[in-house]
Amino acid sequence: LMKYELFTSVALAIDIPEKGLQAGDLATVVEHHPRQGAEDGYTLELFDAVGNTYAVVTLSEAGIEPLRAGELLSVRLPAVA
């Protein structure tokens, strides 16, 4: 059973400095990578404020977290290394 459905919005749980991404950045699940006996992986697409693709990354399930009620979204410039 998949924890995150395709096209679900999630937040990054980790920084990815080489892509200019920070924990808390909003992403969309675009692919699920099931693994036997190991943590599943997910490919995520991140968009800029006007809807252009900014980055596509593949992370283990520990690298993402669900969105929760009460959290606020914000806008920032990427922290490019």
Side-chain angles (χ1 to χ4, degrees):
L1 188 61
M2 192 164 106
K3 181 171 182 176
Y4 296 102
E5 296 294 325
L6 295 181
F7 309 112
T8 298
S9 294
V10 296
L12 297 183
I14 60 171
D15 293 340
I16 307 173
E18 63 274 15
K19 298 271 189 175
L21 303 174
Q22 296 178 355
D25 286 347
L26 187 67
T28 300
V29 175
V30 295
E31 189 64 52
H32 174 232
H33 307 284
R35 294 181 51 190
Q36 288 291 338
E39 191 173 63
D40 285 359
Y42 295 89
T43 298
L44 310 173
E45 188 168 5
L46 294 95
F47 300 94
D48 68 13
V50 295
N52 299 310
T53 298
Y54 176 77
V56 177
V57 296
T58 301
L59 300 174
S60 67
E61 192 171 301
I64 59 178
E65 56 189 19
L67 301 181
R68 293 178 270 292
E71 293 180 322
L72 296 177
L73 301 177
S74 65
V75 177
R76 67 174 184 80
L77 291 174
V80 179

